[in-house]
């Protein structure tokens, strides 16, 4: 039976792993290589690792750390953060990741998506889209870890990155990030109905039921979460966990 | 030593990484002298079929590989596009395949609700014929797939594993010393370790 992928999303800050709430207030949750080793032992479907400072600081990806992380992954792993050029993509793939995640750079130009897809195939290129919903008005695309608002409309941006060659969309809700109250199903629906490529939903998951809703009710092909897999209990004690053998 | 054929198609490190982890000496190489001495050969493959075939041909290694695989009968395992290349060609492109196995490569049909590529984990079941590559594979074994095209062996007896995604398709093929898997064992946890370990240790 085919399963929807359940993907822990890990945030890098310097050499540490952190978890945010609404893209703010990063809390340290541990050593990234150690955490990845535990996730690998728990046989997670896939892993997404995002450096949340790289784009904002205009910094290169930390290739050495990424290679160390990838060496522990006996499952697919995607890296995002600070990717702007094909040369960087090449170095990342050589460091051992299967997929690269392009976010902020694609708001200015989708060139790197096209170039990477031509060389490594669409399956290796994920377009991440961070979305915020203001009290008034529709969804807004944001960039650089939600520090800047993009001018492009969500629908146009989704179509544009797919046309450019992205093989997957990683859709993150800024407002739901770290809240564990459930995904923004309307947001997911509004994107899954636009495109054929797999959409990975992120932002808000707290329970297996939430994961199920995103797939069965909103059409996500895969589901991702941070807090749910690094925190335990209402006091958010750090505990790497992964519900074994979930079929969604 | 297992030679992982390097023909510049992206990340080969994962295959070597898993082989090393299970204690099987492996090398990523395009050196004819190393391939000449390899006890087993892995042919990886990623991305577009034509690009893979052209890159592989450009290495000049084909006559050597044919000698080793077809005449000296060295065990060979193709992975993903590496498995697809074993056949006559693919609906994805116009380049001829290696023609080492009697198989064709077809695109998944357009079915309502079926997203292509087939990307993610899927369960496989062994075909009727016992084979050393799938020895001791758990009944619920699952593997990571990412592909839009699938292999279709001409002879049912060459099917090693089956999987289902919209349609039933061959997830693996085996004929004498040549085998191929559509999924990525190097990215499939203990199930992939089992399969690669069978390949590394088996007398196939």
């Amino acid at each position: 039976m085919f399963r929807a992928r359940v993907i822990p999303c890990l945030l890098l800050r310097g050499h540490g792993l952190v978890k945010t709430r609404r893209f703010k207030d990063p809390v340290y949750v541990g050593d990234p290589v150690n955490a990845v080793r535990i996730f690998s032992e728990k046989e997670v479907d896939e892993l997404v690792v995002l450096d949340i400072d790289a784009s904002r600081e205009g910094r290169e990806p930390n290739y050495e750390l990424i290679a160390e992380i990838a060496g522990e992954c006996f499952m697919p792993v995607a890296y995002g953060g600070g990717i702007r050029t094909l040369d960087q993509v090449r170095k990342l793939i050589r460091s051992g990741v299967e997929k690269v995640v392009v976010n902020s750079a694609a708001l200015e130009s989708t060139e790197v998506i096209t170039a990477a897809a031509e060389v490594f195939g669409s399956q290796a290129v994920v377009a991440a889209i961070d979305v915020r919903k203001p009290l008034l008005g529709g969804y807004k695309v944001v960039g650089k870890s939600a520090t800047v608002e993009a001018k492009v409309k969500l629908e146009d941006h989704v179509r544009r990155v797919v046309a450019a060659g992205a093989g997957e969309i990683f859709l993150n809700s800024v407002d739901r990030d770290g809240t564990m109250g459930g995904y923004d199903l309307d947001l997911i629906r509004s994107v899954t109905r636009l495109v054929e490529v797999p959409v990975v939903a992120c932002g808000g998951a707290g329970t297996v039921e939430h994961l199920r809703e995103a797939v069965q009710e909103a059409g996500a092909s895969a589901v991702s979460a941070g807090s749910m897999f690094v925190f335990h209990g209402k006091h958010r004690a750090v505990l790497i966990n992964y519900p074994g053998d979930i079929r969604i | 030593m297992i030679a992982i054929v390097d023909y510049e198609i992206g990340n080969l490190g994962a295959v070597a990484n898993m082989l090393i982890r299970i204690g099987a000496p492996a090398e990523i190489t395009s050196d004819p002298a190393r391939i000449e001495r390899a006890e087993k050969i892995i042919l990886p493959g990623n991305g577009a079929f034509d690009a893979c075939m052209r890159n592989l041909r450009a290495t000049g290694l084909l006559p050597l590989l044919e000698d080793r695989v077809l005449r000296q009968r060295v065990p060979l395992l193709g992975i993903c596009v590496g498995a697809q290349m074993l056949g006559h060609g693919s609906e994805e492109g116009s380049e001829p395949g290696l023609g080492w196995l009697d198989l064709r490569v077809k695109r998944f049909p357009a079915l309502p609700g079926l997203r292509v590529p087939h990307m993610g984990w899927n369960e496989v079941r062994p075909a009727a014929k016992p084979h050393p590559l799938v020895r001791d594979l758990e009944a619920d074994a699952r593997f990571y797939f990412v592909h839009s095209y699938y292999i279709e062996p001409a002879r049912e007896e060459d099917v090693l594993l089956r999987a289902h995604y919209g349609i039933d398709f061959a997830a693996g093929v085996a004929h004498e010393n040549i085998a191929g898997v559509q999924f990525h064992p190097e990215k499939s946890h203990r199930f992939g370790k089992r399969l690669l370990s069978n390949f590394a240790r088996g007398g196939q």
Side-chain angles (χ1 to χ4, degrees), chain B residues 114-165:
Chain B
L114 191 76
R115 284 185 194 245
V116 175
H118 170 219
M119 183 191 277
W121 292 78
N122 208 337
E123 284 167 13
V124 301
R125 47 182 205 283
K129 173 182 77 166
H131 193 281
L133 256 186
V134 293
R135 191 172 45 214
D136 298 330
L137 200 65
E138 291 87 337
D140 63 345
R142 57 181 194 273
F143 290 92
Y144 185 77
F145 289 81
V146 48
H147 60 129
S148 301
Y149 297 81
Y150 63 92
I151 52 175
E152 192 173 77
R155 284 184 300 269
E156 182 58 33
E157 63 261 34
D158 289 349
V159 174
L160 174 69
L161 292 161
R162 288 208 159 274
H164 186 84
Y165 188 65

Side-chain angles (χ1 to χ4, degrees), chain B residues 36-113:
Chain B
E36 182 64 63
R37 289 170 54 183
E39 290 144 48
K40 291 178 184 180
I41 299 171
I42 288 181
L43 182 64
N46 263 318
F49 183 88
D50 280 1
C52 283
M53 278 309 306
R54 278 196 295 262
N55 275 18
L56 180 59
R57 222 173 272 123
T59 59
L61 290 170
L62 270 190
L64 171 61
L65 286 171
E66 281 183 355
D67 184 54
R68 299 245 51 209
V69 175
L70 299 182
R71 279 172 283 283
Q72 300 177 37
R73 307 207 161 237
V74 169
L76 175 118
L77 176 67
I79 296 177
C80 195
V81 181
Q84 297 179 354
M85 293 197 298
L86 299 173
H88 306 295
S90 170
E91 285 183 2
E92 187 188 5
S94 53
E95 293 285 334
L98 296 167
W100 296 350
L101 292 184
D102 193 4
L103 67 85
R104 303 205 166 270
V105 182
K106 296 183 162 177
R107 190 176 166 85
F108 276 110
L111 296 173

Side-chain angles (χ1 to χ4, degrees), chain A residues 132-176:
Chain A
R132 176 180 280 154
K133 192 178 186 192
L135 285 176
L136 298 171
Y139 293 113
K140 296 264 187 274
V141 178
V142 294
K144 300 196 173 173
S145 295
T147 55
V148 296
E149 195 170 289
K151 298 204 172 55
V152 66
K153 269 195 183 148
L154 174 62
E155 287 74 16
D156 295 342
H157 189 54
V158 167
R159 289 205 181 92
R160 200 167 67 180
V161 294
V162 172
E168 221 174 341
I169 290 187
F170 188 87
L171 181 67
N172 204 345
S173 161
V174 177
D175 312 294
R176 303 291 176 108

Side-chain angles (χ1 to χ4, degrees), chain A residues 36-50:
Chain A
V36 167
R37 196 174 292 137
I38 298 171
F39 278 121
S40 195
E41 278 164 15
K42 290 184 180 295
E43 302 188 337
V44 298
D45 291 342
E46 192 168 329
L47 215 53
V48 169
V49 178
L50 303 175

Side-chain angles (χ1 to χ4, degrees), chain A residues 1-3 40 43-45 71 73-76 93 96 98-99 123 168 192 195-197 221 247, chain B residues 10-11 14 17-18 21 47 115 118-123 142 144 146 165 186-191 193:
Chain A
M1 192 190 112
F2 184 70
R3 302 142 169 257
S40 195
E43 302 188 337
V44 298
D45 291 342
C73 290
F74 296 109
M75 65 287 186
I93 301 276
E98 274 66 44
K99 304 177 184 182
Q123 85 291 337
E168 221 174 341
T192 55
V195 289
E196 287 296 309
V197 300
S221 295
R247 290 159 195 246
Chain B
N11 171 32
N17 190 34
M18 189 178 259
R21 197 61 75 99
R115 284 185 194 245
H118 170 219
M119 183 191 277
W121 292 78
N122 208 337
E123 284 167 13
R142 57 181 194 273
Y144 185 77
V146 48
Y165 188 65
E186 76 280 13
K187 287 286 156 180
S188 298
H189 293 306
R190 70 191 140 102
F191 310 106
K193 281 181 190 154

